[in-house]
Amino acid sequence: MLDNDFWRGKKVFITGHTGFKGSWLCLWLNSLGADVTGFSLSPPTDPSLFHLCSILEDTKTVIGDIRDREALSSALLNAKPDIVFHLAAQPIVRASYQDPIYTYETNVMGTIYLFEAIRLAVNNKVPIKAVINITSDKCYENKEWVWGYRENDPMGGYDPYSNSKSCAELITSSYRRSFFNPESYDLHRVALASVRAGNVIGGGDWAADRLVPDCIRALLLGNEIKIRNPYAIRPWQHVLEPLSGYLLLAQKLYQEGVPYAEGWNFGPRDDDAKSVEWIVKNICNKWGSHASYQIEKGNYEHEAHFLKLDCSKSKQKLGWAPRWNIGQGIDKTLEWTRAYTDQKCLKDICLQQIEEYSNTQAEV
Ligand SMILES: NC(=O)c1ccc[n+]([C@@H]2O[C@H](COP(=O)([O-])OP(=O)(O)OC[C@H]3O[C@@H](n4cnc5c(N)ncnc54)[C@H](O)[C@@H]3O)[C@@H](O)[C@H]2O)c1
């Protein structure tokens, strides 16, 4: 269980806080009373959840590039955090085909620069005790089989994005062995973990070339939705699902350290691995007002066809389990979108959804 009191006054450093998941994480942490500092480029989209929810009001913000080692390191030293979440990344598969160098520089070297900044900060007596590297379900070598990937399956990645996240996993593992080794925990007191979530949906995602934001954009313009890979199966989940896992894990890393310093899957229930077409049909039915879609034919870059996560370990060892199924996830995303079109206070809607989520029992 998430211990709300734990977070009060905790100093938290988040990279990628201007993005979709990062903004939701800031809102949740601020509502728990944490003292949050974020380091990121400006929001990657316009509109952005970051601006729509006025994250700047409650979160100390440093706008900077993770490839700028000095800026990153001094932001971390100034923030003096207890806990670090690393989300900054180039996160889009198609964009990684267009610019693999930027993708690797950001996702791979960016991760190394952050870990080096943490080493320096720890040597300067900054009391960092928990570090979570947010990678992806796509880090696993995809065998196109029906089973969910487990934390000890081999890393891989066909496209540059997936591969960069696989590299980020290997870097985490190397830094844990080389510099934050569980056997010498008493010397450094840093517990380093990595997390792999599924395809996340929710209010306020405006990223280009992502299924649900593409659908929402089309719905708002009254256009037909166009889909590329109707039969691709993905582990879909609402954004609060993995974030609840990250928060619970951070608490465990901080309080108990070593037993939790490893890789973790936070995916949806097995039967929430759905096809792209299933998701789009469901969105259209729920949106109503003549929403429709069309399958576009063309030669697109390779993307995995079948991807599922096995979350037995998170259930067993952390007591974490999904709370909202994908149907509820879609409902919450459309509820948020309607609030956006009705010009309601979106920060209130997000906080209300966080509260509803927190009050839902997990089915462990
Ligand atoms: N959204 C998903 O379905 C999903 C699934 C699995 C993993 N992830 C991972 O979760 C993390 C967050 O994803 P998101 O969906 O919020 O993406 P996003 O694009 O909305 O946010 C990315 C964040 O990283 C920052 N960023 C990008 N390049 C940077 C750079 N060079 N220097 C500093 N900051 C930089 C952006 O400013 C933004 O704050 C990413 O690491 C992503 O790979 C996302």
Side-chain angles (χ1 to χ4, degrees), residues 32-258:
L32 293 170
D35 174 357
V36 185
T37 302
F39 179 96
S40 309
L41 291 177
S42 300
T45 59
D46 181 16
S48 70
L49 190 64
F50 184 79
H51 285 314
L52 291 169
C53 289
S54 313
I55 305 286
L56 269 174
E57 280 174 7
D58 305 308
T59 302
K60 293 168 203 152
T61 287
V62 181
I63 296 295
D65 193 314
I66 198 147
R67 297 169 301 164
D68 180 345
R69 292 179 64 181
E70 275 184 24
L72 176 66
S73 197
S74 76
L76 189 81
L77 280 168
N78 288 339
K80 299 188 179 49
D82 305 298
I83 294 166
V84 177
F85 293 100
H86 176 40
L87 288 92
Q90 189 302 95
I92 307 288
V93 172
R94 277 187 110 188
S96 80
Y97 278 111
Q98 281 145 18
D99 199 344
I101 294 176
Y102 176 71
T103 303
Y104 280 110
E105 278 178 357
T106 301
N107 299 3
V108 175
M109 289 314 295
T111 301
I112 294 176
Y113 295 155
L114 177 67
F115 288 169
E116 283 299 310
I118 291 170
R119 287 182 64 206
L120 182 70
V122 170
N123 287 339
N124 280 284
K125 308 263 179 276
V126 174
I128 300 171
K129 288 188 72 183
V131 180
I132 299 188
N133 185 16
I134 284 79
T135 65
S136 171
D137 52 351
K138 296 185 174 68
C139 67
Y140 294 109
E141 179 63 26
N142 195 300
K143 309 259 176 58
E144 297 291 357
W145 62 25
V146 294
W147 301 286
Y149 294 93
R150 286 188 244 176
E151 285 85 347
N152 54 1
D153 276 323
M155 295 292 121
Y158 185 113
D159 57 89
Y161 167 71
S162 306
N163 184 252
S164 72
K165 287 293 182 173
S166 170
C167 294
E169 281 286 348
L170 295 175
I171 293 161
T172 310
S173 166
S174 167
Y175 267 72
R176 185 165 47 234
R177 289 180 192 169
S178 309
F179 306 112
F180 305 119
N181 196 306
E183 282 175 21
S184 50
Y185 178 72
D186 286 341
L187 298 178
H188 53 76
R189 311 286 297 172
V190 178
L192 170 61
S194 60
V195 289
R196 304 126 191 195
N199 274 47
V200 170
I201 70 165
D205 191 2
W206 304 98
D209 285 326
R210 243 185 214 161
L211 180 67
V212 175
D214 286 345
C215 292
I216 301 288
R217 262 187 295 272
L219 294 177
L220 293 180
L221 292 169
N223 292 342
E224 191 169 53
I225 298 168
K226 303 213 181 329
I227 52 175
R228 294 191 301 269
N229 294 308
Y231 310 117
I233 307 273
R234 296 280 181 276
W236 303 97
Q237 56 187 166
H238 190 270
V239 61
L240 295 178
E241 294 287 343
L243 295 189
S244 71
Y246 306 167
L247 292 174
L248 181 59
L249 175 62
Q251 192 185 305
K252 294 283 189 188
L253 287 166
Y254 186 93
Q255 291 171 330
E256 296 174 48
V258 171

Side-chain angles (χ1 to χ4, degrees), residues 297-329:
K297 299 215 163 41
N299 284 330
Y300 300 111
E301 296 92 348
H302 172 277
E303 290 204 29
H305 298 293
F306 205 97
L307 180 51
K308 266 164 90 168
L309 289 172
D310 180 323
C311 299
S312 317
K313 189 176 95 167
S314 298
K315 283 185 192 162
Q316 286 277 324
K317 285 183 73 178
L318 279 170
W320 176 89
R323 299 186 205 184
W324 286 348
N325 62 31
I326 187 57
Q328 291 165 297

